[in-house]
């Protein structure tokens, strides 16, 4: 058993867990880990509870992770498509709290959407993304709702997020990037 598996056989928290989709993928890789799904929306956690029904190693906490970390005893934090809703100052504060709470060797993985490094590239990413949504067959109403939700986004660039994480003390890198979407990995060394 390698050190990554040992680390994840402790506790992993998913922030902005929603329906628990990200945790479901991680659970396949680390079936003995304890997962705590954290979300502010009870409706989303209800869906997650159904998804993980009968699993003793998955629990749920309704909380605003951006305000305070609900649990302090964890060895990994994962998040997908949630942190981009925070203003940069709140992101920086959150990353600092996560760094302080993680043990040495602890991992933070953020699967999120980002703006590009320049306004022109951001416009191109956004245009491509919207074009793909239209081609997917979504109704005009669904696309309009998506545009309303986009108004709540507070994306930063991958580079800006990496800089924030490094200021907190993390060793951080982008593990994957495609258009607006990237996976940023950070380790407390």
């Amino acid at each position: 058993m390698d050190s990554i598996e040992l680390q994840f056989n402790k506790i992993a928290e998913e922030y902005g867990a929603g329906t628990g989709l990200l945790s479901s993928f991680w659970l396949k890789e680390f079936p003995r880990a304890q997962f705590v799904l954290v979300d502010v929306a009870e409706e989303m956690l209800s869906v997650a509870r159904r998804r993980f029904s009968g699993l003793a190693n998955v629990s749920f906490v309704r909380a605003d992770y951006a305000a305070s970390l609900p649990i302090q005893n964890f060895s990994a934090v994962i998040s997908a498509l949630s942190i981009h809703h925070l203003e940069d100052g709140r992101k920086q504060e959150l990353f600092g709290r996560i760094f302080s709470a993680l043990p040495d060797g602890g991992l933070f993985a953020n699967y999120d959407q980002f703006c590009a490094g320049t306004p022109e590239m951001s416009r191109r990413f956004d245009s491509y993304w919207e074009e793909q949504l239209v081609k997917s067959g979504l109704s005009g109403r669904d696309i309009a709702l998506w545009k309303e939700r986009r108004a709540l986004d507070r994306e930063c660039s991958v580079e800006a997020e990496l800089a924030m994480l490094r200021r907190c003390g993390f060793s951080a890198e982008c593990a994957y990037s495609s258009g607006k979407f990237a996976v940023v990995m950070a380790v407390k060394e």
Side-chain angles (χ1 to χ4, degrees):
M1 183 181 303
D2 64 20
S3 63
I4 295 281
E5 189 171 348
L6 282 171
Q7 194 71 12
F8 286 111
N9 284 335
K10 295 180 182 176
I11 295 178
E13 286 196 339
E14 181 181 357
Y15 292 163
T19 64
L21 182 61
L22 181 59
S23 285
S24 71
F25 292 119
W26 280 69
L27 189 62
K28 289 175 188 172
E29 296 299 318
F30 306 102
R32 294 186 306 252
Q34 295 292 313
F35 286 84
V36 179
L37 281 63
V38 179
D39 202 286
V40 71
E42 184 57 45
E43 308 81 44
M44 297 298 250
L45 288 175
S46 293
V47 174
R49 283 185 183 93
R50 288 191 299 275
R51 178 188 298 265
F52 298 107
S53 178
L55 294 180
N57 61 329
V58 180
S59 59
F60 310 89
V61 175
R62 184 174 179 268
D64 180 0
Y65 68 83
S68 66
L69 303 184
I71 296 175
Q72 295 295 317
N73 183 22
F74 51 83
S75 57
V77 172
I78 58 177
S79 183
L81 299 173
S82 181
I83 294 174
H84 73 273
H85 293 297
L86 303 177
E87 296 286 345
D88 286 357
R90 294 191 71 205
K91 287 176 192 158
Q92 182 74 64
E93 291 170 8
L94 172 65
F95 298 155
R97 285 194 305 273
I98 292 170
F99 181 84
S100 294
L102 281 171
D104 288 345
L107 175 75
F108 170 58
N110 187 24
Y111 301 64
D112 218 335
Q113 67 187 57
F114 298 87
C115 65
T118 66
E120 176 58 27
M121 285 306 295
S122 285
R123 280 191 294 278
R124 288 175 186 257
F125 284 174
D126 289 345
S127 176
Y128 177 77
W129 188 17
E130 186 169 345
E131 182 180 309
Q132 296 309 305
L133 289 175
V134 169
K135 287 180 180 179
S136 76
L138 284 177
S139 70
R141 183 178 189 301
D142 286 337
I143 291 173
L145 289 171
W146 168 78
K147 286 181 179 181
E148 283 179 33
R149 288 190 301 273
R150 283 280 293 143
L152 302 174
D153 293 347
R154 303 294 178 256
E155 300 166 339
C156 66
S157 67
V158 169
E159 295 80 7
E161 182 159 308
L162 290 170
M164 287 182 221
L165 290 162
R166 290 173 182 147
R167 278 193 297 273
C168 294
F170 281 109
S171 172
E173 297 297 332
C174 179
Y176 170 84
S177 177
S178 179
K180 294 190 69 57
F181 302 97
V183 178
V184 172
M185 306 291 279
V187 176
K188 181 176 180 178
E189 295 181 338

